[in-house]
């Protein structure tokens, strides 16, 4: 249990519930439920980043259980489908009063967990599987990534080599820990920072900024869409005194916004870490420091310590090598009996290595369309529009290889300018470009723009 051992070793660490101000030291929290450390099984932890969720996570991490960390706001039907497939021994879900086939047991004054009636283990869960995280999906039964304690520890150690975490830091859990980025923020800061503030507030809510003023947050994390919104509301025009550094992952930040963030960091003495990672690698795989924001092209930087990249010569796919790579996927309960580590992760992203040694993502293999036989990378089209049009947010979709659909959420944008930009930059006739204003982009559970939903909505219109 390397992660837990290192968290416990951080004796100054405490956890605070933002809403109540209640604070609990790590020495008390991690063994508050009186669990048997050798007990084995599977627990579903529906997380809301509140103190009780963290308490359950730390207590069960210290046992032989495998922990599936899922989002508490998932639809009830979805929860029932995945529970029917995996039949977990325990379910922690404060949002429900009853779960069929389970009884509610009180483990402490604040923690109640559903326990399966007449539980009998159906498979022997592989002892290497510690954490299960969903790659995506709010329909059907999702694919779960099987991560070991060693995977998570190796990733955390690599990140701690460059992340400037101090023992005086106050860290908000504004990124849900059921996403690998949030989980990585959680583990690394628990190992070195001083205070973790458990909050379910979104950065775009006023209540979050009230909490930031009250507790003095040292760092913020988010996906590109979040930073685009912060830019829109003028966040980068004034100092936030307690803030020392910011991190991001989940996509590439456009050139205009990178300049804005760089200038903000330079003027107010902050740091920014642009990062790249995937669930299958236990978190973050590459990073770019503040100075790298001035690169002419958008770069993901260099691999984290202990890792390396390769480019597949036939497909241009970016391959990642690191001991943090997972032991495979689970689509059903029986898949939990195996753990098959791999030395190479196929990222599904196309990339290249620049002469400066930095790596660049050029697109997603599945985000390629052929417009009248011409291969077109939709991610590149988005990059061009974002850079040419002052960092506004755009989503480009494929309309049956016949048109590019460009969605935008700023009603002050002239759609003809979009068509002209694509014509001038890519020499594509405007008649093959469809533009559409959308009031707001739907977001997935992890805060990223929900591309599958937008694509499905467009298909329904055709």
């Amino acid at each position: 249990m390397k992660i837990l051992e290192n968290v416990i070793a951080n004796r100054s660490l405490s956890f605070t519930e933002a809403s109540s101000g209640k604070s609990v030291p790590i020495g008390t929290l991690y063994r508050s439920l009186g669990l048997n450390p050798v007990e084995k099984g599977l627990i579903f932890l529906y997380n809301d980043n509140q103190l009780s969720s963290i308490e359950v996570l730390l207590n069960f991490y210290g046992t032989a259980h495998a922990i599936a960390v899922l989002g508490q706001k998932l639809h009830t039907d979805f929860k029932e489908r995945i529970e029917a497939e995996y039949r977990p021994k325990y379910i922690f879900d404060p949002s429900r009063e009853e779960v069929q086939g389970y009884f509610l047991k009180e483990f402490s004054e604040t923690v109640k967990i559903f326990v399966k009636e007449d539980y009998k283990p159906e498979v022997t869960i592989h002892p290497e599987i510690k954490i299960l995280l969903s790659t995506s999906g709010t329909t059907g039964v999702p694919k779960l990534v099987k991560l070991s304690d060693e995977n998570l520890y190796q990733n955390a150690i690599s990140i701690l080599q460059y992340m400037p975490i101090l023992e005086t830091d106050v860290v908000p859990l504004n990124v849900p820990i059921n996403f690998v980025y949030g989980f990585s923020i959680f583990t690394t800061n628990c190992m070195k920072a001083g205070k973790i503030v458990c909050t379910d507030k979104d950065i775009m809510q006023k209540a979050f900024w009230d909490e930031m003023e009250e507790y003095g947050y040292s760092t913020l994390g988010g996906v590109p869409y979040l930073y685009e919104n912060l830019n829109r509301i003028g966040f980068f025009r004034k100092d936030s005194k307690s803030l020392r550094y910011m991190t991001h992952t989940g996509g590439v930040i456009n050139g205009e916004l990178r300049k804005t963030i760089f200038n903000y960091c330079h003027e107010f003495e902050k740091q920014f870490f642009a990062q790249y990672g995937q669930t299958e690698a236990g978190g973050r795989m590459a990073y770019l420091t503040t100075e790298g924001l001035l690169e002419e092209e958008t770069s993901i930087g260099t691999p984290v310590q202990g890792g390396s990249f390769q480019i597949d010569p036939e497909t241009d796919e970016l391959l990642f090598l690191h001991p943090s790579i997972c032991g495979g996927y689970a689509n059903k309960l029986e898949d939990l009996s195996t753990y098959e580590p791999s030395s190479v992760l196929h990222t599904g992203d196309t990339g290249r290595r620049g002469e400066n040694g930095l790596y660049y993502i050029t697109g997603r293999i599945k985000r390629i369309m052929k417009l009248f036989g011409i291969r077109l990378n939709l991610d590149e089209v988005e990059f061009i529009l974002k850079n040419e049009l002052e960092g506004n947010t755009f989503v480009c979709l494929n309309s049956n290889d016949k048109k590019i659909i460009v969605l935008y959420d700023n009603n002050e944008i002239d759609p003809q300018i979009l068509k002209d930009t694509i014509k001038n930059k890519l020499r594509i006739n405007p008649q093959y470009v469809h533009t559409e204003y959308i009031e707001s982009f739907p977001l997935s559970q992890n805060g990223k723009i929900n591309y599958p939903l937008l694509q499905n909505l467009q298909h329904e219109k055709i």
Side-chain angles (χ1 to χ4, degrees), residues 72-306:
Q72 193 176 114
K73 295 180 181 177
L74 291 169
H75 194 281
T76 302
D77 292 346
F78 175 85
K79 292 178 179 178
E80 291 175 350
R81 280 198 296 273
I82 191 171
E83 288 160 11
E85 177 56 53
Y86 287 94
R87 302 178 288 284
K89 185 175 183 178
Y90 296 108
I91 295 174
F92 175 74
D93 187 357
S95 70
R96 287 187 286 179
E97 295 182 353
E98 61 179 355
V99 177
Q100 189 172 7
Y102 290 77
F103 66 92
L104 192 58
K105 180 179 178 180
E106 188 172 291
F107 280 76
S108 73
E109 290 184 0
T110 56
V111 174
K112 297 176 182 177
I113 302 176
F114 292 102
V115 183
K116 191 168 182 57
E117 298 169 347
D118 302 322
Y119 175 78
K120 293 179 182 178
E122 299 175 61
V123 300
T124 300
I125 298 174
H126 197 286
E128 287 292 322
I129 300 174
K130 187 72 254 176
I131 294 291
L132 294 159
L133 295 176
S134 173
T135 53
S136 62
T138 54
T139 59
V141 175
K143 187 164 59 176
L144 299 177
V145 177
K146 298 185 283 191
L147 291 159
S148 69
D149 179 57
E150 183 69 17
N151 292 149
L152 298 164
Y153 175 72
Q154 290 294 338
N155 189 258
I157 290 298
S158 295
I159 293 161
L160 289 174
Q161 301 303 314
Y162 66 86
M163 197 60 68
I165 301 172
L166 299 176
E167 62 180 13
T168 54
D169 277 346
V170 179
V171 181
L173 294 183
N174 67 288
V175 181
I177 62 166
N178 44 295
F179 306 126
V180 74
Y181 175 36
F183 199 89
S184 177
I185 290 172
F186 175 75
T187 55
T188 49
N189 281 285
C190 281
M191 291 164 71
K192 287 196 71 174
K195 178 181 287 188
I196 305 293
V197 180
C198 303
T199 179
D200 60 353
K201 300 297 185 299
D202 184 274
I203 281 184
M204 297 311 293
Q205 294 177 275
K206 180 181 180 300
F208 177 86
W209 300 103
D210 292 340
E211 291 176 358
M212 181 164 181
E213 186 171 342
E214 179 178 358
Y215 294 107
Y217 293 153
S218 308
T219 179
L220 294 176
V223 297
Y225 186 59
L226 175 92
Y227 287 103
E228 289 166 6
N229 276 321
L230 287 181
N231 188 31
R232 187 178 297 178
I233 64 175
F235 172 81
F236 298 111
R237 296 185 194 135
K238 61 180 182 180
D239 190 14
S240 295
K241 297 293 184 184
S242 64
L243 188 66
R244 292 198 304 108
Y245 71 97
M246 296 171 285
T247 67
H248 113 284
T249 188
V252 177
I253 292 178
N254 68 74
E256 285 299 315
L257 183 51
R258 279 186 287 128
K259 291 177 188 173
T260 299
I261 294 173
F262 175 86
N263 291 333
Y264 169 79
C265 291
H266 181 72
E267 181 176 358
F268 298 114
E269 298 183 344
K270 316 291 184 188
Q271 287 181 278
F272 189 89
F273 295 89
Q275 300 165 114
Y276 168 77
Q278 293 188 357
T279 307
E280 290 83 348
R284 293 167 269 189
M285 296 148 56
Y287 71 101
L288 188 73
T289 60
T290 312
E291 296 302 320
L293 294 174
L294 290 183
E295 284 289 317
E296 185 175 343
E297 293 183 70
T298 303
S299 169
I300 61 170
T302 55
V304 297
Q305 189 177 72

Side-chain angles (χ1 to χ4, degrees), residues 1 45 59 67-68 104 119 158 264 275 277 302 327 378 427 459:
M1 299 295 179
L45 193 170
N59 273 269
I67 310 166
L104 192 58
Y119 175 78
S158 295
Y264 169 79
Q275 300 165 114
T302 55
L378 291 173
R427 300 192 182 283
H459 281 159

Side-chain angles (χ1 to χ4, degrees), residues 22 44 49 51 56 169 271 295 306 341 344 393:
K22 176 185 176 183
F44 274 15
N49 274 12
L51 185 58
V56 172
D169 277 346
Q271 287 181 278
E295 284 289 317
V344 179
T393 302

